Amino acid sequence: MDVTFKIRRQNPDVRDLEKPYWQEFVLNDVDPTDRVLEMLHRIKWEQDGSLSLRRSCAHGVCGSDAMRINGVNRLACKILIRDVGERVQVEPILGLPVVKDLIVDMTPFFDHYKQVMPFFVNDDPLPEDGRERLQTQADREQFDDTTKCILCACCTTSCPSFWANGHYVGPAAIVGAHRFIFDSRDQAGAERLDILSEPNGVWRCRTIFNCTPACPRDIEVTKAIGEVKLAIRKGTNVGIIETSAIH
């Protein structure tokens, strides 16, 4: 089958190309099970070597090839041609500065992520037997879903609240905080909740639900945000709060 790709291009460093424009490419002999990423490679290697995109593992783990495909945030390596049809529109994810073509500057995204202390905090001495700090399966289940985040930015850059206010930490940062807030072994939950209580924290979420379907790892992002909101309202140093009320 023949497939037409309509790609939004931009090169801010080159005169006459600094403004976004659309360019079409036609690929022949495309199989329905080919991936969008493979077809973008074909365009770059066979038709226009100046096309720029970011990719790495090509297996849905690194998250580097996040882009808008037919108006939806997706990983190009996970989407098959049969899922998008014979006309495919590709553009960079929204809300972040474009470096070139499909590549965006992820610095603001990671700056927000760093704000929520996305690391384990526990100053207690290690167990005498030298083993790791153990926890029950029930405790682990409270944050298991949010450990799957690959920092692709699909959820954050699908969020209208983030588009409207680049100071909002965004869904991915809240997911990263959730993973540690609800870890019964961590000791910095209250500090993270204080950070997320600020005006550009969790309350800027308007529960639009764009983030959950955008996640390529099927994380229940909106549910995690709701659990953080509930923890703040309860003033709980969590890892132990009852979340069934908002499931």
Side-chain angles (χ1 to χ4, degrees), residues 5-242:
F5 276 78
K6 182 180 180 181
I7 301 177
R8 187 177 177 89
R9 306 198 62 184
Q10 182 179 1
N11 188 347
D13 295 329
V14 177
R15 185 178 178 181
D16 299 328
L17 297 180
E18 70 273 13
K19 294 182 179 180
Y21 64 97
W22 295 95
Q23 186 173 3
E24 289 195 356
F25 301 90
V26 178
L27 292 176
N28 310 117
D29 301 321
V30 176
D31 190 279
T33 59
D34 285 336
R35 296 174 295 165
V36 169
L37 180 60
E38 294 170 335
M39 299 304 97
L40 292 174
H41 284 166
R42 279 189 56 186
I43 292 170
K44 181 175 178 65
W45 298 337
E46 299 173 7
Q47 299 189 32
D48 189 341
S50 69
L51 177 65
S52 297
L53 62 147
R54 187 181 277 131
R55 78 278 193 224
S56 185
C57 75
H59 286 82
V61 177
C62 71
S64 59
D65 61 338
M67 55 191 74
R68 281 172 65 85
I69 302 173
N70 287 357
V72 180
N73 282 7
R74 293 169 168 173
L75 297 184
C77 63
K78 293 189 69 175
I79 302 302
L80 305 181
I81 293 299
R82 69 186 180 196
D83 298 325
V84 290
E86 297 179 7
R87 289 193 64 85
V88 186
Q89 179 173 297
V90 185
E91 55 192 310
I93 50 180
L94 302 179
L96 295 171
V98 174
V99 177
K100 185 184 179 191
D101 294 338
L102 303 175
I103 298 175
V104 298
D105 183 357
M106 296 285 285
T107 303
F109 171 79
F110 284 112
D111 284 345
H112 290 319
Y113 181 66
K114 293 173 186 176
Q115 289 178 27
V116 301
M117 302 171 58
F119 45 83
F120 184 73
V121 178
N122 188 318
D123 296 326
D124 290 343
L126 290 172
E128 293 184 1
D129 59 7
R131 299 180 63 186
E132 62 183 318
R133 296 181 172 90
L134 302 178
Q135 67 181 168
T136 66
Q137 291 185 4
D139 282 346
R140 166 70 186 201
E141 287 172 359
Q142 289 197 62
F143 66 92
D144 189 66
D145 190 43
T146 47
T147 65
K148 298 185 293 184
C149 179
I150 57 175
L151 297 176
C152 63
C154 280
C155 64
T156 295
T157 58
S158 72
C159 175
S161 295
F162 181 76
W163 303 338
N165 183 341
H167 298 294
Y168 171 40
V169 295
I174 299 170
V175 164
H178 179 285
R179 178 261 173 271
F180 293 101
I181 288 170
F182 288 89
D183 190 330
S184 59
R185 303 163 299 175
D186 186 270
Q187 298 176 338
E191 190 172 347
R192 294 189 190 90
L193 292 178
D194 286 342
I195 294 169
L196 292 174
S197 297
E198 295 297 319
N200 290 308
V202 71
W203 300 111
R204 197 165 288 280
C205 168
R206 297 295 184 261
T207 322
I208 297 169
F209 291 98
N210 276 11
C211 51
T212 298
C215 178
R217 301 287 288 177
D218 297 322
I219 298 171
E220 296 183 75
V221 180
T222 311
K223 173 176 174 285
I225 293 173
E227 290 176 352
V228 172
K229 288 180 177 179
L230 182 60
I232 292 173
R233 291 183 63 186
K234 288 188 172 185
T236 311
N237 188 5
V238 276
I240 28 165
I241 84 163
E242 178 57 55

